[in-house]
Amino acid sequence: IGLPALGVTAVVPNKAEAQEEPTEQVQDARQAERQENRAARHAERIAVLTDALGVGEDVLQTAREAGQNIADVAADQGVAVQTVVDAIVESKTALIQEHVVTGDLTQEEANERIAGLRERVTERVNATPGERRGEGRGEGRGDRGPRGDRGPRGGGEAPTA
């Protein structure tokens, strides 16, 4: 006698039903982790800048709020702009290579990111605070993600190069 003859129905979920959406708690935890990672990357970038410039974060922030770019701060401190650019490029290159080691990037992808890095960093070091360049990071990304409603990133960004 089969199961249907006994009035029993077997329920077998399909694959789509078996993959449930993450709970709100899981989503909140992921968001918190992303924020922590962002904060850590920001702190690393600031540390590279302050070390290369020989100033504290407060001095850097005050200068940026006054409209000075990183090159201006370097000149005020008697530091060659190239020294700052070299420090940033070295840091970014090391970070990209870490992603190769962890398997997040292929060496080819890393090489693409490293290509032209010195020029992009030099441009950012000389850019006015809040000024966004029309090429590089944001250009060519289309809708910038799955939501599709995010426009270009603008002001309010911390002093990064």
Side-chain angles (χ1 to χ4, degrees):
I1 298 178
L3 291 176
L6 297 174
V8 177
T9 306
V11 178
V12 179
N14 65 32
K15 280 187 178 182
E17 291 173 348
Q19 295 177 350
E20 296 180 24
E21 289 292 319
T23 65
E24 188 173 332
Q25 186 178 16
V26 169
Q27 289 175 338
D28 289 346
R30 288 178 183 164
Q31 178 66 23
E33 182 179 359
R34 283 190 298 269
Q35 288 173 340
E36 288 174 16
N37 289 340
R38 239 184 323 262
R41 287 190 311 267
H42 172 74
E44 289 170 14
R45 288 190 305 264
I46 294 298
V48 168
L49 283 173
T50 56
D51 288 350
L53 293 167
V55 299
E57 186 176 344
D58 57 335
V59 172
L60 180 60
Q61 186 63 37
T62 299
R64 300 287 284 171
E65 288 171 359
Q68 289 187 306
N69 62 28
I70 301 299
D72 295 333
V73 178
D76 289 349
Q77 298 303 314
V79 175
V81 173
Q82 194 59 49
T83 299
V84 177
V85 170
D86 290 345
I88 295 168
V89 168
E90 181 180 323
S91 172
K92 288 181 177 276
T93 300
L95 180 62
I96 291 168
Q97 290 301 335
E98 283 179 32
H99 287 291
V100 173
V101 170
T102 61
D104 295 331
L105 289 175
T106 65
Q107 187 61 55
E108 183 178 331
E109 291 168 328
N111 293 343
E112 288 174 12
R113 291 184 182 194
I114 293 169
L117 181 59
R118 182 167 306 282
E119 291 78 19
R120 291 189 306 273
V121 168
T122 300
E123 183 180 322
R124 286 299 293 156
V125 164
N126 289 289
T128 302
E131 176 184 316
R132 298 301 292 184
R133 62 185 184 266
E135 58 184 358
R137 223 174 150 168
E139 187 174 280
R141 282 198 181 177
D143 66 7
R144 294 186 48 102
R147 288 184 19 203
D149 60 350
R150 294 175 59 192
R153 293 174 14 190
E157 205 170 273
T160 59

